[in-house]
Amino acid sequence: MELLLLSNSATHGRPFLEHAVDALRDILRDVRELVFVPYALADHDGYTAKVRTALEPLGLSVVGAHTDPDVLRSASAIFVGGGNTFRLVKTLQESGQLDVIRDRVRSGTPYLGSSAGTNLAGPSLRTSNDMPIVQPPSFETLGLVPFQLNPHYLDPDPQSTHQGETRELRITEFLEENDVPVLGLREGTWLRLHADTLTLDGIPAGARLFRRGAAPEEISSGSDLSELLKATAAYDV
């Protein structure tokens, strides 16, 4: 499989997707038309147009998955955008497109995800940061990688007077009920899977890896994370 899993698509002070343009150019080097899946936001046409504008400099044409129920079956590349993961999963499950995407990507079609689209690449949406604004039939996602992802990972602020839960606490609670690694991707980072090698790239901030019964581990950008591809996921244990 060819995967590019971005923590975020928008970066402060920079055009949409511009921070990851080299990574996008790499995975899409042989692609001329891309199918964009806009279901994580309500405005499908507007979202697709935004992505089309961002990718035009790479010589790509962009078609929205919502415009033709069969367009994913012949896609040269698939990009699933960010927004609300619950809304995204509900639409894909009820339309049958989740299975279509999984089959296409496992057959070699490049897959790009950002935020909710990155959540979708794991086995379950259980480590999404999003509010469940709709109820999908199940929490099942694509399972392209066997571990959980948490895009937009935020570190605890030791100077903060906020008394609510932190991202670290949420993930710790998840691991009390489930036994599967969780990779917290900080803003500006991404995962690239190519030729069975999984690499963390992006800004130097890197990522944070959580495992059940172990202290969180700092992962630096440029690290080879291929070992995570051998992970096994156990839920509700």
Side-chain angles (χ1 to χ4, degrees), residues 14-84:
R14 303 181 72 172
F16 188 72
L17 290 173
E18 194 269 342
H19 70 290
V21 66
D22 289 340
L24 291 164
R25 185 179 289 112
D26 173 61
I27 193 171
L28 297 171
R29 59 189 176 276
D30 298 322
V31 175
R32 293 295 172 263
E33 182 178 271
L34 174 147
V35 176
F36 179 65
V37 179
Y39 303 140
L41 293 186
D43 182 2
H44 298 164
D45 288 334
Y47 199 4
T48 302
K50 185 175 184 177
V51 172
R52 182 178 295 119
T53 299
L55 295 181
E56 277 178 346
L58 299 183
L60 290 161
S61 62
V62 175
V63 177
H66 63 294
T67 63
D68 182 345
D70 294 321
V71 70
L72 284 166
R73 298 184 184 276
S74 59
S76 299
I78 298 169
F79 181 13
V80 182
N84 187 279

Side-chain angles (χ1 to χ4, degrees), residues 35-226:
V35 176
F36 179 65
V37 179
Y39 303 140
L41 293 186
D43 182 2
H44 298 164
D45 288 334
Y47 199 4
T48 302
K50 185 175 184 177
V51 172
R52 182 178 295 119
T53 299
L55 295 181
E56 277 178 346
L58 299 183
L60 290 161
S61 62
V62 175
V63 177
H66 63 294
T67 63
D68 182 345
D70 294 321
V71 70
L72 284 166
R73 298 184 184 276
S74 59
S76 299
I78 298 169
F79 181 13
V80 182
N84 187 279
T85 310
F86 289 87
R87 175 159 52 190
L88 171 66
V89 171
K90 183 176 190 292
T91 304
L92 289 174
Q93 287 181 349
E94 292 181 346
S95 67
Q97 290 177 316
L98 188 72
D99 293 333
V100 174
I101 294 173
R102 183 187 294 113
D103 291 344
R104 292 291 299 168
V105 176
R106 288 181 175 173
S107 298
T109 301
Y111 178 91
L112 299 80
S114 177
S115 187
T118 291
N119 280 328
L120 193 72
S124 170
L125 59 69
R126 295 186 191 208
T127 51
S128 167
N129 305 313
D130 300 323
M131 182 179 291
I133 60 173
V134 294
Q135 183 170 314
S138 79
F139 285 175
E140 179 187 355
T141 46
L142 291 171
L144 302 176
V145 295
F147 55 91
Q148 290 292 130
L149 294 142
N150 181 249
H152 306 287
Y153 178 79
L154 291 173
D155 294 287
D157 180 0
Q159 304 302 317
S160 176
T161 58
H162 174 62
Q163 297 300 300
E165 61 194 27
T166 63
R167 193 69 53 77
E168 179 178 337
L169 178 58
R170 283 185 174 184
I171 295 174
T172 299
E173 291 172 341
F174 167 81
L175 290 171
E176 290 170 350
E177 302 292 338
N178 308 278
D179 189 2
V180 53
V182 182
L183 187 66
L185 292 168
R186 295 187 175 99
E187 295 276 295
T189 65
W190 55 82
L191 287 174
R192 178 72 168 96
L193 177 63
H194 171 66
D196 298 322
T197 299
L198 183 69
T199 308
L200 176 69
D201 285 313
I203 66 171
R208 209 159 187 229
L209 179 61
F210 296 82
R211 299 180 191 266
R212 194 177 200 179
E217 178 184 353
E218 287 293 326
I219 307 295
S220 58
S221 291
S223 296
D224 185 336
L225 292 174
S226 304

